[in-house]
Amino acid sequence: MRYLTIEIPVRLWQRVDGCVDNSMAIDVVDAIMETVITGACVREAGWRASALYGGDRDAYGRPPGDHPLPITLRLAHWEWTLSQLARWEPYVTDGVEDDADVRAIIAGALARE
């Protein structure tokens, strides 16, 4: 298994976390366990990276929005994450630039791999 660490600002990681959470919530009903298991890995990686931050946090316990989170995932999990961002893209009505930015960060890192 190959792993890759990508630094993603907190405010952009929130987009990833939300898309993955949505996918998990929908797909568990249809017993699509790949989504549930992979989603859990992706979200846990974000929580671990966030927990390492030692500074002040917002009212929700998150680091500042511009703080880069070093997220480490298997390459296959990064590719799956991109597919989930694409899955939810048609429903993005606010933060369109954030959505495009986080996809570009991930896709660019995967292309260099």
Side-chain angles (χ1 to χ4, degrees):
M1 282 183 264
R2 293 182 47 211
Y3 290 83
L4 176 63
T5 299
I6 303 175
E7 287 195 349
I8 300 177
V10 170
R11 69 179 174 76
L12 297 181
W13 183 255
Q14 290 170 333
R15 174 76 66 191
V16 172
D17 188 72
C19 287
V20 169
D21 184 52
N22 288 346
S23 293
M24 291 171 67
I26 297 290
D27 290 356
V28 73
V29 174
D30 295 322
I32 302 172
M33 297 315 292
E34 176 190 7
T35 297
V36 176
I37 293 166
T38 303
C41 292
V42 171
R43 296 189 78 206
E44 178 68 25
W47 297 332
R48 282 192 316 268
S50 180
L52 294 173
Y53 178 73
D56 292 334
R57 295 174 176 269
D58 68 13
Y60 299 103
R62 295 182 295 237
D66 62 345
H67 175 73
L69 293 175
I71 309 291
T72 302
L73 294 170
R74 291 176 44 202
L75 291 179
H77 289 171
W78 280 120
E79 292 164 354
W80 179 87
T81 298
L82 276 179
S83 74
Q84 299 314 300
L85 288 165
R87 175 182 183 179
W88 293 101
E89 180 187 19
Y91 306 100
V92 173
T93 56
D94 63 334
V96 173
E97 288 105 17
D98 286 351
D99 194 63
D101 289 348
V102 74
R103 284 187 285 118
I105 290 169
I106 296 168
L110 287 172
R112 290 187 294 278
E113 216 21 53

